[in-house]
Amino acid sequence: MRVLSVASEFYPLIKTGGLADVAGALPAALETQGVEVASLLPYYPAVKAQVPSGRSVHSFPDLFGAPARLLRARLGTLDLFLLDAPHLYDRPGGPYESETGAPWRDNARRFAALGLAARALGLGKVSAYPRPDIVHAHDWQAGLAPAYLALAGEVRPKTVMTVHNLAFQGQYPATLLSELGLPPTAYSTDGVEHYGAIGFLKAGLYYADKITTVSPSYAQEIQTTEGGMGLHGLLSGRSADLSGIVNGIDTAAWDPQTDPNLAARFSARSLSRRMANKNAVRERLLLMQDNSPMFVVITRLAWQKGVDVLIDALPQLVASGAQIAVLGAGDAALEAALMGAMGEHPGRVGVQLGYDESFAHLLQGGGDGLIVPSRFEPCGLTQLYALRYGAVPIVARTGGLADTVIDANKAAVDDGVATGFTFAPMTADALVDAVQRALTLQAKPYLWRALQRRGMSRRLSWAARAPDYAALYRGLVGAG
Ligand code: ADP
């Protein structure tokens, strides 16, 4: 079985969120299932810096204004196709935005180009790469891949569209239709049209043979008016083809026994060593070194993540005796509000702004708990890392958070199945209530340690998830 995975992000080469982790980790995990994966991604400067060369295997004489080519390269055991189109990708700034945070004006062309490259590979037009069995597109940036393949009118691979976050849809003006190489007939509800525009994600969801998302609960939520973000009609209509598979984590990169980012490494049998990490966090964020529990937050600063609600809850959390340590980057207003909160609660609330992978590890290794107050959460990775690191997750009861954390209500504690705390609705009061329940349990160290150890024993690796994707692929190919 051969699969072409198409995504705009790929850990460790280029990452803005969980999508990168999935696209980077799934290929190796699928190998053990007898699935051979090649990954297609844009040749961003960050990718080029880490994979400086490749074999040129295909050329596009004119890919939206200039020539481009496909490079094939290896990264360890991984098989990569890099879309080298300097006029589209070779620029400073992020993959989607300039350094000032403005979306690149040619994003429609930049990611249509990714779709066209996927079409060339998917139809077997690239030398030494016969037609794969499956093309697996991730998120809106790859959304045109299933559309281009379906519209090509040739024998084509089966297609899978995975939604990592329905909030990002890639909507572009209908006037681009012919420039993007889409036929006029495709501009329809039964096609790429979405609310008077070309919807990249919509196109993928419409044309793909199967749709997956990153947790069973999110797969349900996106079929509802509240959670469907304008796509619930299409998604509920395709419910027979839609399933949810929870993300795995990279258990080698996230291993508290070997993690070089930690002040002290530890295992489920040496949880007291976590204290050195807690103190290292406190030192860095100028938090008081006392007996208080410390809850950590690691997040993009965006509406989705509920950081505004966390900020509302801070006075009560601090009054409960907790310390809060936040690592976040994003929205300027939320950044300012967090800095303000730190000033109001010196020694009790600590904030580091910016993206800092290494500090994220230290926080997981030192926090007594991790708070995730998301308004919606397709899967969420931070709570999975927290489980592995013995930071008890306290999460909003939504999407993948609800699927991966078992609330420590009395029955679950008695049965020995609880792994954290969940709360709903997503309000400051409910969040505070959940933290207070955590504080109550923490006062009984043997129960708290049992909770930590149970989380640490969960099978969270991609090896545990890959069989689900392999089964999906096999079902699709076997279906003929
Ligand atoms: P999303 O993809 O919506 O941002 P996830 O929980 O699925 O949310 O994945 C977030 C990933 O990004 C995790 O690997 C998390 O550790 C990391 N992360 C988020 N914010 C930061 C930050 N400020 N610094 C370092 N890592 C971060």
Side-chain angles (χ1 to χ4, degrees):
M1 165 96 57
R2 292 172 51 253
V3 175
L4 176 72
S5 168
V6 187
S8 159
E9 302 187 22
F10 191 97
Y11 182 84
L13 301 176
I14 177 82
K15 166 169 168 173
T16 73
L19 161 66
D21 294 316
V22 178
L26 196 48
L30 279 165
E31 236 169 69
T32 59
Q33 301 290 313
V35 179
E36 231 178 85
V37 183
S39 302
L40 166 66
L41 68 154
Y43 205 30
Y44 297 117
V47 178
K48 200 170 188 166
Q50 294 169 79
V51 187
S53 64
R55 193 158 40 91
S56 181
V57 290
H58 191 74
S59 50
F60 301 90
D62 180 1
L63 193 64
F64 300 115
R69 53 190 191 144
L70 272 175
L71 303 177
R72 194 168 193 179
R74 289 225 150 245
L75 181 71
T77 61
L78 302 174
D79 186 7
L80 302 180
F81 286 102
L82 308 165
L83 180 54
D84 185 20
H87 60 297
L88 300 174
Y89 305 126
D90 193 3
R91 45 181 90 163
Y96 318 119
E97 304 169 344
S98 70
E99 280 154 322
T100 61
W104 296 114
R105 293 170 64 93
D106 54 352
N107 272 345
R109 293 180 197 89
R110 294 173 77 233
F111 295 107
L114 186 65
L116 289 172
R119 179 174 70 181
L121 285 160
L123 296 179
K125 313 275 188 205
V126 173
S127 68
Y129 189 73
R131 195 176 68 231
D133 300 295
I134 306 263
V135 170
H136 188 162
H138 295 271
D139 272 357
W140 73 266
Q141 300 91 341
L144 287 193
Y148 284 137
L149 284 164
L151 293 164
E154 295 183 32
V155 180
R156 66 165 178 89
K158 297 284 185 184
T159 52
V160 177
M161 182 79 226
T162 292
V163 184
H164 296 264
N165 190 336
L166 198 65
F168 305 111
Q169 300 190 355
Q171 292 282 101
Y172 296 102
T175 48
L176 290 171
L177 198 70
S178 74
E179 191 189 340
L180 299 187
L182 294 163
T185 48
Y187 191 72
S188 137
T189 314
D190 295 328
V192 304
E193 189 273 338
H194 189 44
Y195 290 92
I198 301 169
F200 277 41
L201 181 64
K202 189 288 169 116
L205 296 174
Y206 177 79
Y207 286 104
D209 297 306
K210 289 278 181 201
I211 301 170
T212 77
T213 185
V214 288
S215 68
S217 287
Y218 194 60
Q220 294 303 316
E221 288 165 18
I222 60 178
Q223 297 181 51
T224 66
T225 328
E226 305 78 58
M229 301 198 174
L231 285 161
H232 51 278
L234 169 59
L235 288 165
S236 57
R238 297 213 56 192
S239 104
D241 295 318
L242 167 60
S243 59
I245 301 175
V246 168
N247 287 332
I249 59 171
D250 181 338
T251 47
W254 292 89
D255 181 352
Q257 299 194 56
T258 58
D259 194 331
N261 304 293
L262 299 180
R265 296 185 260 284
F266 60 92
S267 73
R269 286 190 305 277
S270 56
L271 287 170
S272 56
R273 292 174 58 80
R274 298 181 85 259
M275 185 54 89
N277 298 317
K278 182 171 177 176
N279 285 334
V281 169
R282 286 167 149 173
E283 205 167 292
R284 188 142 157 191
L285 297 182
L286 307 176
L287 293 170
M288 281 160 72
Q289 312 261 356
D290 57 16
N291 292 330
S292 5
M294 179 178 78
F295 296 99
V296 302
V297 181
I298 304 161
T299 186
R300 284 189 289 122
L301 299 176
W303 181 83
Q304 174 197 340
K305 300 293 180 178
V307 179
D308 52 324
V309 174
L310 173 83
I311 293 169
D312 289 347
L314 283 176
Q316 283 173 275
L317 295 178
V318 169
S320 306
Q323 293 181 337
I324 307 292
V326 184
L327 171 63
D331 184 273
L334 289 171
E335 291 192 353
L338 282 171
M339 294 315 279
M342 182 162 72
E344 271 169 43
H345 305 283
R348 312 304 303 170
V349 174
V351 177
Q352 180 178 313
L353 298 180
Y355 191 91
D356 187 337
E357 185 86 25
S358 167
F359 192 43
H361 286 241
L362 184 65
L363 286 163
Q364 295 279 18
D368 293 291
L370 171 91
I371 301 177
V372 193
S374 305
R375 291 194 160 87
F376 66 94
E377 194 59 76
C379 176
L381 293 172
T382 55
Q383 86 281 9
L384 301 177
Y385 302 143
L387 287 169
R388 183 150 167 87
Y389 277 58
V392 173
I394 302 170
V395 304
R397 199 182 304 131
T398 184
L401 299 174
D403 289 339
T404 56
V405 178
I406 300 173
D407 184 69
N409 55 50
K410 184 170 181 323
V413 171
D414 290 349
D415 287 356
V417 294
T419 55
F421 297 84
T422 68
F423 63 91
M426 219 295 275
T427 60
D429 284 344
L431 191 163
V432 169
D433 183 63
V435 171
Q436 281 171 347
R437 286 198 294 130
L439 293 173
T440 305
L441 201 78
Q442 208 181 15
K444 298 177 181 150
Y446 64 101
L447 285 180
W448 186 258
R449 286 200 180 240
L451 203 62
Q452 288 178 294
R453 291 203 176 104
R454 198 169 303 119
M456 293 177 84
S457 71
R458 295 293 294 263
R459 289 189 68 227
L460 302 168
S461 68
W462 275 109
R465 305 291 188 239
D468 295 339
Y469 279 100
L472 173 86
Y473 296 153
R474 294 220 164 84
L476 199 46
V477 171

